[in-house]
Amino acid sequence: MLFRSREHLCRRGASLDRVHVTRLGDIAEVFTRHDTSSIARENAAILFGRLEYYKGIGVLVEAGLVLKARGKSRRIIIAGAGHLPRAMRRKILAHPEIFELHNRFIPEPEAAILLKRASICVLPYLAATQSALPRIARAYGQRIVASRSGAFIEEIPLLGGTLVTPGSVEELADALEDDRESSLSQTPAPDLDGWPGIADAMLTAYSSTIASFQTATAKARRASNHNESRAA
């Protein structure tokens, strides 16, 4: 999807040599370095990170209520700083048997515990580009349920996850109802986009951009000198 986005920009007039694509790196070790060996996995799904509208929190809340109406038990942990609309917060707090809300900044050691408890990482984004969370979920052996959007379209199937239509409460509820465990072991994700490679890609992008700017500046300077000579 990232490279298709590059092609899309080029079709709209951007020069191919001026559009650079770099993937996000794997930051799972920030959390996995904290000892959570005594923490048991639960029948829970977690939405972790800054809470913003585009992350589909409202869709997740409605899906949790659908599961309850179906008689299914799945705890939903919502953890992170950010603003929640008053009505949504009331709905979450009215159902403590479903939802567990931590609406604040979560320090790494505490985040590690929450991530270890959950068996599912849920990413019901209304619109997505890239996220570090799929690789974090992979490191914890979680099954991933994510919206069919942005880089998720390519990445989530590679990590053994499930894609749902953005904004679809029923599809999200169906995916969360699925009791199968992740087929992936609790090991770090393959280093497909390691930090050394990302650093090299960034240096290449910056070097190319600087070179293009210098070329354009020199060309403009020559044109200006030529015009001044003709005027003289």
Side-chain angles (χ1 to χ4, degrees):
M1 176 57 69
L2 294 178
F3 294 98
R4 276 185 271 166
S5 298
R6 183 188 187 202
E7 293 169 359
H8 176 72
L9 287 172
C10 293
R11 285 197 300 270
R12 296 177 68 89
S15 174
L16 184 63
D17 62 354
R18 298 186 68 180
V19 181
H20 302 274
V21 177
T22 305
R23 294 186 183 276
L24 289 177
D26 186 350
I27 62 169
E29 194 270 337
V30 168
F31 304 101
T32 58
R33 66 188 177 189
H34 298 284
D35 182 20
T36 56
S37 57
S38 63
I39 306 300
R41 172 152 302 177
E42 301 175 17
N43 181 25
I46 186 169
L47 186 155
F48 173 71
R50 185 162 184 83
L51 305 184
E52 301 284 356
Y53 171 77
Y54 77 90
K55 292 188 176 180
I57 303 166
V59 179
L60 177 59
V61 170
E62 294 303 321
L65 295 175
V66 167
L67 288 179
K68 181 183 179 182
R70 294 178 182 177
K72 302 296 181 179
S73 174
R74 174 78 73 188
R75 190 153 189 78
I76 296 175
I77 302 169
I78 301 172
H83 172 72
L84 291 176
R86 187 173 301 174
M88 185 185 300
R89 173 181 285 274
R90 283 201 302 265
K91 188 175 290 188
I92 292 171
L93 296 179
H95 295 280
E97 74 283 6
I98 306 174
F99 304 108
E100 179 180 327
L101 178 64
H102 303 270
N103 188 198
R104 54 183 170 77
F105 172 76
I106 312 294
E108 291 169 11
E110 184 181 356
I113 291 172
L114 294 175
L115 289 164
K116 179 67 180 296
R117 285 174 53 199
S119 57
I120 295 176
C121 172
V122 58
L123 305 166
Y125 291 19
L126 301 178
T129 51
Q130 297 190 75
S131 172
L133 286 166
R135 294 302 181 91
I136 295 172
R138 170 66 172 81
Y140 280 93
Q142 296 170 338
R143 182 163 64 87
I144 306 171
V145 175
S147 296
R148 190 177 291 105
S149 179
F152 290 168
I153 296 173
E154 295 176 356
E155 184 176 22
I156 300 306
L158 292 175
L159 297 176
T162 302
L163 292 172
V164 299
T165 302
S168 174
V169 172
E170 290 296 326
E171 281 191 37
L172 183 58
D174 290 343
L176 292 175
E177 186 177 339
D178 190 342
D179 288 327
R180 65 186 172 90
E181 288 291 326
S182 170
S183 60
L184 302 173
S185 60
Q186 187 174 324
T187 56
D191 193 17
L192 300 177
D193 302 290
W195 290 108
I198 289 172
D200 288 343
M202 293 296 290
L203 285 172
T204 298
Y206 286 129
S207 297
S208 175
T209 300
I210 292 170
S212 295
F213 176 78
Q214 290 173 335
T215 299
T217 300
K219 184 177 180 180
R221 185 178 297 115
R222 287 195 300 270
S224 176
N225 292 339
H226 178 70
N227 290 335
E228 289 177 359
S229 298
R230 290 183 62 184

